[in-house]
Amino acid sequence: MIQMSDHFHGSDLEKIEEIYHIKKEDITSFSANVNPIGISPKLRETLVHHIDDITGYPDREYTSLRQSIGRYIDADYKNIIVGNGSSELISLFIQNLKPKKALILGPTYSEYEHAVSLCGGSAYYYRLDEKHDFSVHVDRLEKKLTEKIDLLVICNPNNPTSTAISRSDMRQILDVCKIHGIYVMIDETYVEFTEDVKAVTAVPLAPIYNNVIILRGISKFFAAPGLRLGYAICSNRDLRKKVVGRQNPWTINTLAAVSGEIMFSDTDYIQETRRLISSERTRICRFLDGCKGLTYYPPTANFVLVKITKEGVTADDLFDAAIRKGLMIRNCASFPFLDNKYFRFCFMMPEKNDELLALIKEILG
């Protein structure tokens, strides 16, 4: 087995190609958490007709794009900011908030901690309880929310645990944070994959709380990470103004802006994606229920976190066996509180899911 000091991200296909001598075109990435259907058919059919749009600059305000997003998420477009991927917006909001002490629910995505540290702040983790499937106990969390905390960061649904906080629980958290003057950043990158988006999303809460920032993007659900289009919902006018003031002009190119408008209106694609993920999530969990040598944590998004319980087998072993068959999973040892007994994989098309599940069963018995 090839030994590696780093764990591969879903976008590291070039590294895989170099180390394993497997063409990246022959790799199915169960690590990237991207919609297996691919890009919107409506986008594929119509984007070519907008090619001449690149002869002009984008609208500085991105009004049409923001209105399209507003219709898609049922929100006031005036509360929407667009950016060059949600990563840019994470950085911009944190740069403006300048938190001295941020509390992050973990294990989770490392970019939050990185952004806080770049601004001179300190990031601390509220450790999600594995014994309760990494779910959030709101009453316990509230005890950590004091005046000493400037910012609370929540990924909902969370990566890599695939757990979610309901809107009613989120409202309780926001109430406490409001009392203590704590801003709350909620990353909803994966919320569109959930069974009931309305029960999870905090977007309807944005007009009520001026201390909340909700982030979304098109990389995962719309399978378009290369377009680099993200957006935030925030009703705090002063904060929005500061964030936009820090952005470079025309942060989103013309084709990305047009693409967003097209994708958000492709209702057939949106419904097909939700049906596929719902069906495969149920089927895969049923399969894992019958597997020995592992335990998994009930997923709400388009991926599942699994712990290897079989002695003598690690996520490194499983990664190596899978990649040699052109199947790339995510070793989760790089996430806080997890080690190389944990791995994550997203739900792809049924036939590819079957290939990976057969391998898991073969390796773990």
PDB file of all heavy atoms in Angstrom, residues 80 139 158 168 173 187 211 221 226 229 324 357:
ATOM      1  N   ILE A  80     -29.356  39.552  -0.215  1.00  0.00           N
ATOM      2  CA  ILE A  80     -28.453  38.548  -0.794  1.00  0.00           C
ATOM      3  C   ILE A  80     -27.176  39.209  -1.317  1.00  0.00           C
ATOM      4  O   ILE A  80     -27.229  40.228  -2.003  1.00  0.00           O
ATOM      5  CB  ILE A  80     -29.161  37.786  -1.933  1.00  0.00           C
ATOM      6  CG1 ILE A  80     -30.337  36.976  -1.367  1.00  0.00           C
ATOM      7  CG2 ILE A  80     -28.177  36.872  -2.664  1.00  0.00           C
ATOM      8  CD1 ILE A  80     -31.233  36.371  -2.427  1.00  0.00           C
ATOM      9  N   ASP A 139     -29.282  22.458  24.518  1.00  0.00           N
ATOM     10  CA  ASP A 139     -29.156  22.912  25.903  1.00  0.00           C
ATOM     11  C   ASP A 139     -27.698  22.925  26.352  1.00  0.00           C
ATOM     12  O   ASP A 139     -27.268  23.829  27.080  1.00  0.00           O
ATOM     13  CB  ASP A 139     -29.988  22.028  26.832  1.00  0.00           C
ATOM     14  CG  ASP A 139     -31.488  22.171  26.584  1.00  0.00           C
ATOM     15  OD1 ASP A 139     -31.873  23.200  25.998  1.00  0.00           O
ATOM     16  OD2 ASP A 139     -32.258  21.271  26.963  1.00  0.00           O
ATOM     17  N   ASN A 158     -23.922  19.175   8.474  1.00  0.00           N
ATOM     18  CA  ASN A 158     -22.504  19.254   8.768  1.00  0.00           C
ATOM     19  C   ASN A 158     -21.670  18.299   7.909  1.00  0.00           C
ATOM     20  O   ASN A 158     -22.087  17.190   7.603  1.00  0.00           O
ATOM     21  CB  ASN A 158     -22.267  18.933  10.247  1.00  0.00           C
ATOM     22  CG  ASN A 158     -20.837  19.165  10.658  1.00  0.00           C
ATOM     23  OD1 ASN A 158     -20.208  20.132  10.246  1.00  0.00           O
ATOM     24  ND2 ASN A 158     -20.301  18.264  11.474  1.00  0.00           N
ATOM     25  N   SER A 168     -36.203  24.821  14.110  1.00  0.00           N
ATOM     26  CA  SER A 168     -36.687  25.206  15.443  1.00  0.00           C
ATOM     27  C   SER A 168     -35.543  25.238  16.449  1.00  0.00           C
ATOM     28  O   SER A 168     -35.466  26.149  17.286  1.00  0.00           O
ATOM     29  CB  SER A 168     -37.779  24.231  15.910  1.00  0.00           C
ATOM     30  OG  SER A 168     -37.295  22.892  15.927  1.00  0.00           O
ATOM     31  N   ILE A 173     -30.993  28.555  19.238  1.00  0.00           N
ATOM     32  CA  ILE A 173     -29.580  28.932  19.281  1.00  0.00           C
ATOM     33  C   ILE A 173     -29.405  30.408  18.955  1.00  0.00           C
ATOM     34  O   ILE A 173     -28.659  31.134  19.624  1.00  0.00           O
ATOM     35  CB  ILE A 173     -28.765  28.058  18.295  1.00  0.00           C
ATOM     36  CG1 ILE A 173     -28.740  26.605  18.762  1.00  0.00           C
ATOM     37  CG2 ILE A 173     -27.334  28.581  18.144  1.00  0.00           C
ATOM     38  CD1 ILE A 173     -28.204  25.633  17.728  1.00  0.00           C
ATOM     39  N   ASP A 187     -23.399  27.637   7.417  1.00  0.00           N
ATOM     40  CA  ASP A 187     -23.031  27.187   6.076  1.00  0.00           C
ATOM     41  C   ASP A 187     -24.021  26.111   5.626  1.00  0.00           C
ATOM     42  O   ASP A 187     -24.021  24.996   6.154  1.00  0.00           O
ATOM     43  CB  ASP A 187     -21.607  26.624   6.096  1.00  0.00           C
ATOM     44  CG  ASP A 187     -21.094  26.268   4.707  1.00  0.00           C
ATOM     45  OD1 ASP A 187     -21.911  26.154   3.761  1.00  0.00           O
ATOM     46  OD2 ASP A 187     -19.874  26.063   4.557  1.00  0.00           O
ATOM     47  N   ASN A 211     -28.116  39.080  13.361  1.00  0.00           N
ATOM     48  CA  ASN A 211     -26.819  38.536  13.763  1.00  0.00           C
ATOM     49  C   ASN A 211     -26.505  37.217  13.056  1.00  0.00           C
ATOM     50  O   ASN A 211     -25.607  36.479  13.468  1.00  0.00           O
ATOM     51  CB  ASN A 211     -26.774  38.318  15.277  1.00  0.00           C
ATOM     52  CG  ASN A 211     -27.786  37.285  15.767  1.00  0.00           C
ATOM     53  OD1 ASN A 211     -28.899  37.212  15.239  1.00  0.00           O
ATOM     54  ND2 ASN A 211     -27.412  36.497  16.759  1.00  0.00           N
ATOM     55  N   PHE A 221     -24.621  20.910  -4.970  1.00  0.00           N
ATOM     56  CA  PHE A 221     -25.941  20.523  -5.469  1.00  0.00           C
ATOM     57  C   PHE A 221     -26.049  20.696  -6.974  1.00  0.00           C
ATOM     58  O   PHE A 221     -26.647  19.869  -7.668  1.00  0.00           O
ATOM     59  CB  PHE A 221     -27.034  21.341  -4.776  1.00  0.00           C
ATOM     60  CG  PHE A 221     -28.432  20.864  -5.075  1.00  0.00           C
ATOM     61  CD1 PHE A 221     -28.987  19.812  -4.360  1.00  0.00           C
ATOM     62  CD2 PHE A 221     -29.196  21.459  -6.070  1.00  0.00           C
ATOM     63  CE1 PHE A 221     -30.274  19.357  -4.637  1.00  0.00           C
ATOM     64  CE2 PHE A 221     -30.483  21.019  -6.348  1.00  0.00           C
ATOM     65  CZ  PHE A 221     -31.016  19.962  -5.636  1.00  0.00           C
ATOM     66  N   GLY A 226     -16.436  24.596 -10.607  1.00  0.00           N
ATOM     67  CA  GLY A 226     -15.555  25.393 -11.446  1.00  0.00           C
ATOM     68  C   GLY A 226     -16.073  26.786 -11.755  1.00  0.00           C
ATOM     69  O   GLY A 226     -15.303  27.662 -12.145  1.00  0.00           O
ATOM     70  N   LEU A 229     -19.308  30.239  -7.768  1.00  0.00           N
ATOM     71  CA  LEU A 229     -20.425  31.121  -7.453  1.00  0.00           C
ATOM     72  C   LEU A 229     -21.021  30.731  -6.109  1.00  0.00           C
ATOM     73  O   LEU A 229     -21.465  29.600  -5.919  1.00  0.00           O
ATOM     74  CB  LEU A 229     -21.501  31.041  -8.540  1.00  0.00           C
ATOM     75  CG  LEU A 229     -22.826  31.762  -8.261  1.00  0.00           C
ATOM     76  CD1 LEU A 229     -22.585  33.250  -8.016  1.00  0.00           C
ATOM     77  CD2 LEU A 229     -23.806  31.558  -9.422  1.00  0.00           C
ATOM     78  N   ARG A 324      -7.687   1.720  -6.261  1.00  0.00           N
ATOM     79  CA  ARG A 324      -7.152   0.796  -7.273  1.00  0.00           C
ATOM     80  C   ARG A 324      -8.252   0.270  -8.184  1.00  0.00           C
ATOM     81  O   ARG A 324      -7.970  -0.286  -9.248  1.00  0.00           O
ATOM     82  CB  ARG A 324      -6.394  -0.346  -6.601  1.00  0.00           C
ATOM     83  CG  ARG A 324      -5.121   0.132  -5.900  1.00  0.00           C
ATOM     84  CD  ARG A 324      -4.332  -0.981  -5.268  1.00  0.00           C
ATOM     85  NE  ARG A 324      -3.232  -0.456  -4.475  1.00  0.00           N
ATOM     86  CZ  ARG A 324      -2.071  -0.019  -4.963  1.00  0.00           C
ATOM     87  NH1 ARG A 324      -1.867  -0.049  -6.274  1.00  0.00           N
ATOM     88  NH2 ARG A 324      -1.129   0.450  -4.162  1.00  0.00           N
ATOM     89  N   LEU A 357     -20.091  -0.279  -2.496  1.00  0.00           N
ATOM     90  CA  LEU A 357     -20.667  -1.059  -1.407  1.00  0.00           C
ATOM     91  C   LEU A 357     -20.157  -2.504  -1.407  1.00  0.00           C
ATOM     92  O   LEU A 357     -19.881  -3.084  -0.354  1.00  0.00           O
ATOM     93  CB  LEU A 357     -22.198  -1.049  -1.501  1.00  0.00           C
ATOM     94  CG  LEU A 357     -22.862   0.309  -1.266  1.00  0.00           C
ATOM     95  CD1 LEU A 357     -24.367   0.223  -1.514  1.00  0.00           C
ATOM     96  CD2 LEU A 357     -22.590   0.824   0.150  1.00  0.00           C
TER      97      LEU A 357
END
